[in-house]
Amino acid sequence: MTDYGLDPRRVDPEYDRHGGFPVFEAADPGPGFGRFLTAMRQAQDLAVSVNPDPDTWDEAADRVEELVKLLDPFRAGEGAGPANRVPSLPGAGSLLMPPWTVTRFEADGIELEVTFSRYHVGGNSAVHGGVLPLLFDSMFGMVIHATGRPISRTAFLHVDYRKVTPIDTVLTARGWLREAEGRKAFVNAELLDADGNVLAESNGLMIRLLPGQP
Protein backbone atom coordinates (compact mmCIF):
# COMPACT_ATOMS: atom_id res chain seq x y z
CA MET A 1 0.00 0.00 0.00
CA THR A 2 1.28 3.47 -0.84
CA ASP A 3 1.99 5.71 2.14
CA TYR A 4 -0.57 8.47 1.75
CA GLY A 5 0.95 10.37 4.68
CA LEU A 6 3.83 11.72 2.57
CA ASP A 7 4.77 15.38 2.74
CA PRO A 8 2.47 17.00 0.12
CA ARG A 9 5.29 19.30 -0.96
CA ARG A 10 6.82 16.32 -2.71
CA VAL A 11 4.00 16.39 -5.25
CA ASP A 12 3.08 20.07 -5.00
CA PRO A 13 6.07 22.49 -4.74
CA GLU A 14 3.60 25.39 -4.46
CA TYR A 15 1.84 23.79 -1.49
CA ASP A 16 2.51 26.71 0.89
CA ARG A 17 0.78 29.10 -1.46
CA HIS A 18 -2.47 27.13 -1.50
CA GLY A 19 -3.88 28.11 1.87
CA GLY A 20 -0.93 27.03 4.03
CA PHE A 21 -2.45 23.77 5.23
CA PRO A 22 -0.60 21.92 8.02
CA VAL A 23 1.82 19.26 6.83
CA PHE A 24 0.16 15.95 7.67
CA GLU A 25 3.14 13.67 8.04
CA ALA A 26 2.47 10.13 9.27
CA ALA A 27 2.47 9.84 13.07
CA ASP A 28 3.62 7.00 15.29
CA PRO A 29 1.83 7.52 18.62
CA GLY A 30 2.43 3.96 19.86
CA PRO A 31 0.11 0.97 20.34
CA GLY A 32 -1.85 2.68 23.10
CA PHE A 33 -3.43 5.03 20.57
CA GLY A 34 -4.81 2.10 18.57
CA ARG A 35 -6.30 0.61 21.74
CA PHE A 36 -7.79 3.99 22.58
CA LEU A 37 -9.44 4.30 19.16
CA THR A 38 -10.88 0.78 19.35
CA ALA A 39 -12.34 1.48 22.77
CA MET A 40 -13.73 4.84 21.66
CA ARG A 41 -15.43 3.30 18.62
CA GLN A 42 -17.01 0.70 20.89
CA ALA A 43 -18.11 3.49 23.23
CA GLN A 44 -19.69 5.34 20.29
CA ASP A 45 -21.65 2.22 19.34
CA LEU A 46 -22.82 1.75 22.92
CA ALA A 47 -23.73 5.42 23.34
CA VAL A 48 -26.38 5.10 20.62
CA SER A 49 -27.63 1.60 21.43
CA VAL A 50 -27.80 0.92 25.19
CA ASN A 51 -30.78 1.51 27.46
CA PRO A 52 -29.55 1.17 31.05
CA ASP A 53 -31.17 2.30 34.29
CA PRO A 54 -30.85 6.02 35.17
CA ASP A 55 -28.10 5.46 37.75
CA THR A 56 -25.88 3.82 35.12
CA TRP A 57 -26.05 6.97 32.99
CA ASP A 58 -24.73 8.99 35.92
CA GLU A 59 -21.90 6.52 36.48
CA ALA A 60 -21.04 6.53 32.78
CA ALA A 61 -21.02 10.34 32.73
CA ASP A 62 -18.65 10.35 35.71
CA ARG A 63 -16.21 8.08 33.88
CA VAL A 64 -16.37 10.09 30.65
CA GLU A 65 -15.74 13.29 32.58
CA GLU A 66 -12.68 11.64 34.10
CA LEU A 67 -11.43 10.79 30.60
CA VAL A 68 -11.95 14.39 29.51
CA LYS A 69 -10.02 15.57 32.56
CA LEU A 70 -7.16 13.18 31.71
CA LEU A 71 -6.84 14.25 28.07
CA ASP A 72 -7.66 17.95 28.24
CA PRO A 73 -4.12 19.12 29.15
CA PHE A 74 -2.76 17.56 25.97
CA ARG A 75 -4.76 19.53 23.41
CA ALA A 76 -2.71 20.05 20.23
CA GLY A 77 -3.10 22.05 17.06
CA GLU A 78 -4.25 20.66 13.71
CA GLY A 79 -1.60 18.44 12.22
CA ALA A 80 0.11 17.91 15.58
CA GLY A 81 -2.11 15.26 17.18
CA PRO A 82 -2.11 11.71 15.77
CA ALA A 83 -5.77 11.74 14.68
CA ASN A 84 -5.99 11.42 10.88
CA ARG A 85 -2.23 10.81 10.66
CA VAL A 86 -1.86 7.07 11.28
CA PRO A 87 -2.39 5.28 7.94
CA SER A 88 -2.20 1.83 9.55
CA LEU A 89 -5.29 2.45 11.70
CA PRO A 90 -8.95 2.48 10.59
CA GLY A 91 -9.93 5.90 9.32
CA ALA A 92 -6.26 6.92 9.56
CA GLY A 93 -6.80 7.22 13.30
CA SER A 94 -9.69 9.71 13.16
CA LEU A 95 -12.95 9.01 15.01
CA LEU A 96 -14.68 11.44 12.66
CA MET A 97 -14.05 9.10 9.73
CA PRO A 98 -15.81 5.79 9.15
CA PRO A 99 -13.32 3.01 9.97
CA TRP A 100 -11.86 2.47 6.52
CA THR A 101 -8.59 0.83 5.54
CA VAL A 102 -6.76 1.70 2.32
CA THR A 103 -6.11 -1.36 0.15
CA ARG A 104 -5.03 0.44 -3.03
CA PHE A 105 -3.60 3.92 -3.54
CA GLU A 106 -2.48 4.59 -7.10
CA ALA A 107 -2.74 7.43 -9.59
CA ASP A 108 -5.42 5.59 -11.57
CA GLY A 109 -7.58 4.91 -8.54
CA ILE A 110 -7.87 4.23 -4.82
CA GLU A 111 -9.70 1.46 -2.98
CA LEU A 112 -10.80 1.12 0.62
CA GLU A 113 -12.41 -1.48 2.82
CA VAL A 114 -14.95 -0.03 5.24
CA THR A 115 -17.24 -1.53 7.86
CA PHE A 116 -20.00 0.60 9.33
CA SER A 117 -21.41 -0.12 12.78
CA ARG A 118 -24.37 0.72 15.01
CA TYR A 119 -23.00 4.21 15.54
CA HIS A 120 -23.60 4.96 11.83
CA VAL A 121 -27.22 3.74 11.70
CA GLY A 122 -29.88 6.18 10.53
CA GLY A 123 -32.79 3.78 10.95
CA ASN A 124 -33.83 0.16 10.44
CA SER A 125 -30.21 -1.07 10.70
CA ALA A 126 -29.20 0.93 7.61
CA VAL A 127 -26.28 3.34 7.48
CA HIS A 128 -27.42 6.96 7.76
CA GLY A 129 -27.44 8.63 4.37
CA GLY A 130 -25.42 11.55 5.71
CA VAL A 131 -22.48 9.30 6.58
CA LEU A 132 -21.81 8.31 2.97
CA PRO A 133 -21.02 11.84 1.72
CA LEU A 134 -18.41 12.04 4.50
CA LEU A 135 -16.82 8.84 3.22
CA PHE A 136 -16.91 9.98 -0.40
CA ASP A 137 -15.55 13.45 0.41
CA SER A 138 -12.61 11.87 2.22
CA MET A 139 -12.01 9.64 -0.78
CA PHE A 140 -12.03 12.61 -3.16
CA GLY A 141 -9.20 14.15 -1.14
CA MET A 142 -7.28 10.87 -1.37
CA VAL A 143 -7.79 10.76 -5.13
CA ILE A 144 -6.38 14.28 -5.45
CA HIS A 145 -3.32 13.28 -3.45
CA ALA A 146 -2.87 9.96 -5.30
CA THR A 147 -2.88 11.70 -8.67
CA GLY A 148 -0.29 14.24 -7.53
CA ARG A 149 -2.59 17.21 -8.05
CA PRO A 150 -2.21 20.35 -5.94
CA ILE A 151 -4.14 20.72 -2.70
CA SER A 152 -7.83 21.29 -3.44
CA ARG A 153 -11.20 21.78 -1.78
CA THR A 154 -14.56 20.28 -2.60
CA ALA A 155 -16.73 22.51 -4.79
CA PHE A 156 -19.63 20.09 -4.98
CA LEU A 157 -20.43 16.50 -4.15
CA HIS A 158 -23.42 14.53 -5.44
CA VAL A 159 -24.52 11.15 -4.10
CA ASP A 160 -26.90 8.61 -5.63
CA TYR A 161 -28.20 6.00 -3.18
CA ARG A 162 -28.79 2.73 -5.04
CA LYS A 163 -29.35 0.23 -2.23
CA VAL A 164 -29.49 0.21 1.56
CA THR A 165 -25.98 0.26 3.04
CA PRO A 166 -25.69 -2.41 5.77
CA ILE A 167 -23.70 -2.37 8.97
CA ASP A 168 -21.32 -5.00 10.37
CA THR A 169 -20.15 -6.20 6.97
CA VAL A 170 -17.01 -5.43 4.97
CA LEU A 171 -17.73 -3.15 2.00
CA THR A 172 -15.49 -1.88 -0.78
CA ALA A 173 -15.19 1.76 -1.79
CA ARG A 174 -13.43 2.90 -4.96
CA GLY A 175 -12.51 6.36 -6.16
CA TRP A 176 -10.84 7.76 -9.26
CA LEU A 177 -10.16 10.94 -11.23
CA ARG A 178 -12.56 11.15 -14.16
CA GLU A 179 -11.30 14.34 -15.81
CA ALA A 180 -9.01 17.27 -15.07
CA GLU A 181 -9.21 20.75 -16.54
CA GLY A 182 -6.95 23.46 -15.16
CA ARG A 183 -7.81 23.99 -11.49
CA LYS A 184 -10.76 21.60 -11.76
CA ALA A 185 -10.66 17.89 -11.02
CA PHE A 186 -13.83 15.85 -11.58
CA VAL A 187 -13.85 12.77 -9.37
CA ASN A 188 -16.01 9.69 -8.97
CA ALA A 189 -16.49 7.11 -6.24
CA GLU A 190 -18.66 4.10 -5.52
CA LEU A 191 -19.49 1.84 -2.59
CA LEU A 192 -20.06 -1.88 -3.22
CA ASP A 193 -21.07 -4.88 -1.15
CA ALA A 194 -19.30 -8.25 -1.14
CA ASP A 195 -21.31 -9.39 -4.18
CA GLY A 196 -20.31 -6.35 -6.23
CA ASN A 197 -23.68 -4.61 -5.95
CA VAL A 198 -23.41 -0.81 -6.06
CA LEU A 199 -24.85 0.59 -2.83
CA ALA A 200 -24.10 4.23 -3.57
CA GLU A 201 -22.09 6.25 -6.03
CA SER A 202 -20.84 9.80 -6.04
CA ASN A 203 -19.36 12.42 -8.30
CA GLY A 204 -17.81 15.71 -7.35
CA LEU A 205 -15.64 18.62 -8.30
CA MET A 206 -12.39 19.46 -6.53
CA ILE A 207 -10.91 22.93 -7.10
CA ARG A 208 -7.22 23.76 -6.69
CA LEU A 209 -6.77 26.51 -4.13
CA LEU A 210 -5.45 29.86 -5.28
CA PRO A 211 -2.60 31.53 -3.40
CA GLY A 212 -3.86 32.67 0.00
CA GLN A 213 -7.10 30.71 -0.08
CA PRO A 214 -7.80 28.86 3.22
Side-chain angles (χ1 to χ4, degrees):
M1 181 185 77
T2 300
D3 182 358
Y4 54 93
L6 292 175
D7 185 341
R9 291 177 179 83
R10 298 182 187 180
V11 293
D12 180 13
E14 299 295 316
Y15 180 87
D16 289 313
R17 301 182 62 205
H18 304 308
F21 273 45
V23 179
F24 289 98
E25 296 177 338
D28 183 15
F33 183 62
R35 286 183 55 210
F36 171 77
L37 286 175
T38 298
M40 287 296 292
R41 290 193 188 278
Q42 292 172 340
Q44 287 180 156
D45 285 337
L46 290 171
V48 299
S49 62
V50 298
N51 186 29
D53 58 78
D55 290 340
T56 300
W57 284 123
D58 284 329
E59 181 180 355
D62 289 341
R63 297 190 184 190
V64 173
E65 288 169 358
E66 282 298 313
L67 175 61
V68 171
K69 183 179 179 181
L70 172 67
L71 295 178
D72 190 64
F74 302 100
R75 291 176 182 265
E78 185 180 3
N84 204 39
R85 296 198 302 123
V86 188
S88 61
L89 293 177
S94 172
L95 288 171
L96 174 65
M97 296 296 123
W100 44 255
T101 301
V102 177
T103 56
R104 184 172 183 270
F105 194 84
E106 303 295 341
D108 62 348
I110 67 166
E111 188 168 303
L112 317 177
E113 287 186 348
V114 58
T115 303
F116 298 99
S117 64
R118 178 66 185 272
Y119 178 69
H120 304 103
V121 167
N124 201 25
S125 296
V127 174
H128 193 292
V131 175
L132 298 188
L134 175 61
L135 171 66
F136 288 138
D137 197 30
S138 299
M139 293 177 64
F140 289 170
M142 293 182 203
V143 168
I144 291 299
H145 188 62
T147 57
R149 289 186 59 81
I151 189 167
S152 305
R153 280 198 181 275
T154 308
F156 73 74
L157 184 155
H158 176 84
V159 178
D160 290 310
Y161 300 91
R162 302 302 186 189
K163 292 179 178 291
V164 168
T165 299
I167 63 172
D168 300 328
T169 184
V170 178
L171 307 174
T172 299
R174 297 171 180 159
W176 62 94
L177 176 67
R178 184 177 79 252
E179 181 182 357
E181 179 184 328
R183 294 173 56 212
K184 299 179 180 180
F186 296 91
V187 288
N188 283 65
E190 59 184 7
L191 181 66
L192 305 97
D193 65 17
D195 296 322
N197 297 307
V198 176
L199 305 176
E201 52 190 351
S202 180
N203 64 82
L205 171 61
M206 305 293 286
I207 300 288
R208 173 183 176 171
L209 295 181
L210 293 172
Q213 281 188 308

